[in-house]
Amino acid sequence: MLVTGGAGFIGSNFVHHWCHAYPEDRVVVLDALTYAGNRQNLATLEDKDHFRFVQGDICDGALIKKLLQEEEINTVAHFAAESHVDRSILGPGAFIQTNVVGSFTLLDAFRQHWNDHSSPPDYRFLHVSTDEVYGSLSADDPAFTETTPYAPNSPYSASKAGSDHLARAYYHTYNVPTIITNCSNNYGPYHYPEKLIPLMCINILLGKPLPVYGDGQNVRDWLYVLDHCRALDTVIHQGKPGETYNIGGNNEVKNIDLVKMLCRIMDELAPHLPVKPSQELITFVKDRPGHDRRYAIDATKIQTELGWAPLVTVEEGLRQTVGWFLTHRSWWEPLLSEEYQSYYRQVYAS
Ligand code: NAD
Ligand code: TYD
């Protein structure tokens, strides 16, 4: 299996899941190690015979072709992406390059590789995508299904939509066995601290303000990353080529309520906090431009057709996540680099 973006948040959780569940499988990670990639996430696998890490870009067609051939890859799990909405607002170019051009390069190399091997029916290309391609819901709208029309609102979601369309087209035009998954907001271990949950965990531990955008009433559906990894495992083994599967956590929460839950759990689990109760740190800040109001996933299809359902409630998942950030200070402290501080100042300046 080739896992792109395997040094990032979801990719590294997936690699750990796969190597634990299928220790005989060979797993090759291809990752460019951008600001979001961290080889530390895979440190415990580095000395395993069945594991290989390659630093490289998914836009590098020659490198991908070589890897597919020499490693006799039959499954690609494609996670590599620029993944943060706020960064896509500051600089959309990298999102088009990696998410659209990179996904195209990978798909096309896989098509040739699959053809060179006489188009085996058991090869798979799993394209991991987001519910954000469906746009924004109002409070009473039904949740996104696999047939909801695409209506992306940010450069990030537009670039992911572009890559979804390419994965779909490669199945319809060339029969390449692609499968697309669209999931809701993940959280858990190894989550880079630009996203809501890790950012809030770390700011509570440092006694820094907790910046809530706008009125805090935006709703997200929260999916524990290990539930997501189980879903992707199910899709790789049982999913049908050419299909799309929505993956959600059945955990719709308003941002402000989520931040308050995190504060409550931190106050309970952390032995020392600079500010307690940590809710005193909550600060409403200027809204994100084009901020989607609500996302919600209808996961009936994967549940009824493939038998997957999420197991972790948001309360349980947040407790696990808070526990992880409390015991992994040596993981997150080095991430608060000058680059991170400069990004932080740009987003939260006014
Ligand atoms: P992440 O930002 O934590 O990790 C992305 C990884 O891709 C990093 O390791 C980075 O180094 C690597 N990468 C970036 N550009 C690359 C390139 N050109 N070539 C090779 N590697 C490159 O992202 P994540 O949160 O783990 O998300 C993984 C996938 O899941 C993405 O495709 C994202 O769109 C999707 N997704 C994420 C969420 C979420 O809540 N995090 C929700 C829905 C979908
Ligand atoms: P985020 O983790 O960036 O994921 P996404 O934008 O992909 O949903 O944000 C989750 C929600 O939290 C989103 O509605 C924006 C909001 N948010 C804040 O209120 N403050 C913050 O500092 C961040 C990063 C996000």
Side-chain angles (χ1 to χ4, degrees), residues 18 28 67 72 80 96 99 103 106 120 127 141 145-146 148 160-161 176 200 203 208 238 253 270 295 337 341:
W18 199 273
V28 179
L67 277 179
E72 298 174 27
I96 304 307
N99 300 0
S103 296
L106 193 62
H127 176 65
D141 285 339
T145 71
E146 289 78 0
T148 302
K160 291 297 291 186
V176 175
M200 294 295 168
N203 282 14
K208 289 178 60 183
Q238 300 174 46
V253 189
Y295 304 138
S337 60
Q341 307 295 347

Side-chain angles (χ1 to χ4, degrees), residues 82-247:
E82 289 293 336
S83 71
H84 189 39
V85 173
D86 292 321
R87 287 193 193 248
S88 82
I89 296 167
L90 293 173
F95 288 72
I96 304 307
Q97 186 61 20
T98 286
N99 300 0
V100 182
V101 178
S103 296
F104 157 71
T105 307
L106 193 62
L107 276 164
D108 207 54
F110 186 75
R111 171 173 78 89
Q112 284 165 30
H113 173 69
W114 181 68
N115 281 340
D116 291 346
H117 288 79
S118 312
S119 315
D122 59 333
Y123 278 34
R124 289 289 177 274
F125 186 107
L126 171 70
H127 176 65
V128 178
S129 190
T130 169
D131 58 2
E132 303 191 23
V133 296
Y134 299 121
S136 181
L137 297 169
S138 17
D140 301 330
D141 285 339
F144 303 130
T145 71
E146 289 78 0
T147 56
T148 302
Y150 274 33
N153 291 318
S154 71
Y156 163 66
S157 54
S159 66
K160 291 297 291 186
S163 60
D164 292 12
H165 291 324
L166 286 167
R168 177 191 157 93
Y170 268 61
Y171 172 76
H172 283 274
T173 307
Y174 306 114
N175 258 337
V176 175
T178 64
I179 305 181
I180 301 168
T181 55
N182 296 91
C183 69
S184 55
N185 287 58
N186 283 225
Y187 66 103
Y190 305 115
H191 206 176
Y192 186 82
E194 66 192 352
K195 306 272 169 63
L196 180 72
I197 289 179
L199 185 144
M200 294 295 168
C201 286
I202 289 173
N203 282 14
I204 295 171
L205 290 170
L206 298 176
K208 289 178 60 183
L210 308 179
V212 175
Y213 294 160
D215 61 5
Q217 300 296 307
N218 304 65
V219 174
R220 297 291 183 267
D221 169 57
W222 293 97
L223 172 64
Y224 191 58
V225 66
L226 297 179
D227 267 341
H228 185 203
C229 293
R230 275 195 312 106
L232 298 178
D233 182 333
T234 305
V235 169
I236 288 171
H237 283 111
Q238 300 174 46
K240 252 180 80 190
E243 293 290 321
T244 288
Y245 298 93
N246 280 357
I247 305 170

Side-chain angles (χ1 to χ4, degrees), residues 43-89:
T44 55
L45 296 170
E46 294 269 0
D47 61 346
K48 302 266 187 282
D49 291 342
H50 292 265
F51 176 82
R52 177 179 171 197
F53 180 84
V54 177
Q55 182 170 359
D57 195 321
I58 56 164
C59 298
D60 183 346
L63 171 65
I64 295 165
K65 187 175 173 198
K66 179 169 156 285
L67 277 179
L68 293 173
Q69 269 172 7
E70 78 185 16
E71 293 288 354
E72 298 174 27
I73 300 295
N74 60 18
T75 304
V76 172
H78 176 34
F79 295 88
E82 289 293 336
S83 71
H84 189 39
V85 173
D86 292 321
R87 287 193 193 248
S88 82
I89 296 167

